[in-house]
Amino acid sequence: MRNLRILITTALVIALSSLGVSAASAADRVATNCTSASRGQASAARAIAAPVTVWLAGDSTMANPSSGRCPVGWGSQFDALFNSDVTVKNQAVGGRSIQTWLYEGNVSGTKGSDGECRLTSTTYSSRWQAMLNSSTGMKAGDYLFIQFGINDSSSTCPRHVGPARYRQLMTMMAQAALARGAHPVLLTPVAAITCSGGTATKNRGFVNETFAAGSATRAPVIDLQTLSVSLYNSLRFCPNNGDYGGSGPLGTFFCNDHTHFDTYGAQRVAALVAGDVRRQNLPLAAYLR
């Protein structure tokens, strides 16, 4: 009996010792994993904190206001949606097509045999040259948002741009951003307010061309035309009496026309763009407030 008790006691001691070693090893593994996770989180936090510049290229619906309360482009309201690690450089200019924005002063008033406005020089505009500057322009990790397609539909030069040319130029701009390690984001043109009875309708071209440029460069596309029309319908802008004079829901959103935005409208459209950045889970979303 005494020998049996000794054997049982010895077995218990060995079992408990083994359990202790296993528990200690498990604890060590957990501690190691926690440390690794903490280091990973710290690294991610440092990555998120890296300053980013968001460059904007577009027309008046994106541009900073020049004077007064109208028009106000949505790009002027974009910076407020991000934390302090983001700087928005808005290079959108009113009245520009993608070609006149790129080749300011070098697009003639006559069309060539291909139906496109002739270039008198292939020298880029100062704004595009500034973005391409290796020291002060787009850098790795930056973003380039491109939105044209409103003035491009003009039938006359210098603003006229055909579908193939539009796709070519947007693809070129996206590729230039990629070559510098920046991230291009392409946008379809924001809609004006036109109604079919009680429903706001789409009214812009170059949508297929924007998506084609996105496919060619694997750049994300924000379908701002669809998003803006959906917003107009949710706000019940149709039907309306054409009063854009600053009163009522329509007048506080649009200037005294069917295209440009008052400050409130620009804020709402900027929020649409930011919302789609978040929906598509673009890395830039980490900087949104």
Side-chain angles (χ1 to χ4, degrees), residues 65-73 244-247 251-256 261-264:
S66 56
S67 62
R69 54 184 283 265
C70 271
V72 179
Y244 304 93
S247 61
T252 57
F253 197 101
F254 289 98
C255 303
N256 193 22
F261 309 118
D262 204 332
T263 301
Y264 172 71

Side-chain angles (χ1 to χ4, degrees), residues 94-173:
R96 300 317 191 264
S97 65
I98 191 169
Q99 183 157 264
T100 56
W101 188 95
L102 281 166
Y103 299 100
E104 186 77 54
N106 294 323
V107 185
S108 74
T110 59
K111 293 181 181 178
S113 58
D114 59 355
E116 297 295 342
C117 303
R118 293 180 181 274
L119 293 179
T120 58
S121 169
T122 56
T123 301
Y124 290 134
S125 65
S126 59
R127 66 183 69 94
W128 185 230
Q129 289 186 46
M131 287 191 187
L132 299 178
N133 187 285
S134 59
S135 300
T136 57
M138 291 182 289
K139 65 182 185 301
D142 283 354
Y143 284 78
L144 172 62
F145 282 64
I146 309 169
Q147 181 222 282
F148 291 96
I150 293 176
N151 301 304
D152 312 64
S153 60
S154 173
S155 60
T156 59
C157 294
R159 298 201 299 184
H160 167 78
V161 180
R165 179 65 170 160
Y166 186 92
R167 182 174 63 251
Q168 175 194 4
L169 293 176
M170 183 167 274
T171 299
M172 179 272 289
M173 292 180 72

Side-chain angles (χ1 to χ4, degrees), residues 2 25 56 70 72 121 136 161-162 178 202 224 230 237 265 267:
R2 181 174 176 274
S25 298
L56 304 182
C70 271
V72 179
S121 169
T136 57
V161 180
L178 290 169
K202 296 180 181 179
L224 188 53
S230 295
F237 282 164
Q267 290 170 344

Side-chain angles (χ1 to χ4, degrees), residues 13-289:
V13 170
I14 293 172
L16 289 171
S17 298
S18 298
L19 182 61
V21 170
S22 299
S25 298
D28 288 342
R29 287 195 298 272
V30 169
T32 300
N33 291 339
C34 287
T35 301
S36 298
S38 297
R39 288 173 180 166
Q41 290 168 355
S43 177
R46 284 193 297 273
I48 290 174
V52 169
T53 299
V54 176
W55 304 80
L56 304 182
D59 53 42
S60 58
T61 60
M62 179 193 268
N64 291 330
S66 56
S67 62
R69 54 184 283 265
C70 271
V72 179
W74 66 261
S76 67
Q77 308 300 308
F78 206 40
D79 185 71
L81 302 177
F82 294 93
N83 64 31
S84 59
D85 292 317
V86 169
T87 299
V88 174
K89 292 193 176 182
N90 191 357
Q91 299 298 316
V93 183
R96 300 317 191 264
S97 65
I98 191 169
Q99 183 157 264
T100 56
W101 188 95
L102 281 166
Y103 299 100
E104 186 77 54
N106 294 323
V107 185
S108 74
T110 59
K111 293 181 181 178
S113 58
D114 59 355
E116 297 295 342
C117 303
R118 293 180 181 274
L119 293 179
T120 58
S121 169
T122 56
T123 301
Y124 290 134
S125 65
S126 59
R127 66 183 69 94
W128 185 230
Q129 289 186 46
M131 287 191 187
L132 299 178
N133 187 285
S134 59
S135 300
T136 57
M138 291 182 289
K139 65 182 185 301
D142 283 354
Y143 284 78
L144 172 62
F145 282 64
I146 309 169
Q147 181 222 282
F148 291 96
I150 293 176
N151 301 304
D152 312 64
S153 60
S154 173
S155 60
T156 59
C157 294
R159 298 201 299 184
H160 167 78
V161 180
R165 179 65 170 160
Y166 186 92
R167 182 174 63 251
Q168 175 194 4
L169 293 176
M170 183 167 274
T171 299
M172 179 272 289
M173 292 180 72
Q175 289 173 335
L178 290 169
R180 287 155 178 77
H183 309 287
V185 179
L186 315 183
L187 297 91
T188 61
V190 64
I193 177 63
T194 58
C195 301
S196 176
T199 304
T201 59
K202 296 180 181 179
N203 42 52
R204 301 298 190 195
F206 301 101
V207 173
N208 292 337
E209 290 72 24
T210 302
F211 277 98
S215 296
T217 58
R218 297 184 178 180
V221 175
I222 294 177
D223 190 0
L224 188 53
Q225 178 160 202
T226 296
L227 291 172
S228 56
V229 168
S230 295
L231 176 63
Y232 303 161
N233 280 317
S234 71
L235 296 174
R236 300 183 182 278
F237 282 164
C238 295
N240 63 72
N241 63 4
D243 178 16
Y244 304 93
S247 61
L250 201 66
T252 57
F253 197 101
F254 289 98
C255 303
N256 193 22
D257 60 18
H258 66 285
T259 299
H260 297 103
F261 309 118
D262 204 332
T263 301
Y264 172 71
Q267 290 170 344
R268 293 298 300 266
V269 175
L272 289 179
V273 177
D276 213 52
V277 167
R278 197 185 299 277
R279 183 191 66 81
Q280 295 195 44
N281 198 30
L282 303 186
L284 183 62
Y287 296 86
L288 287 168
R289 295 183 187 276

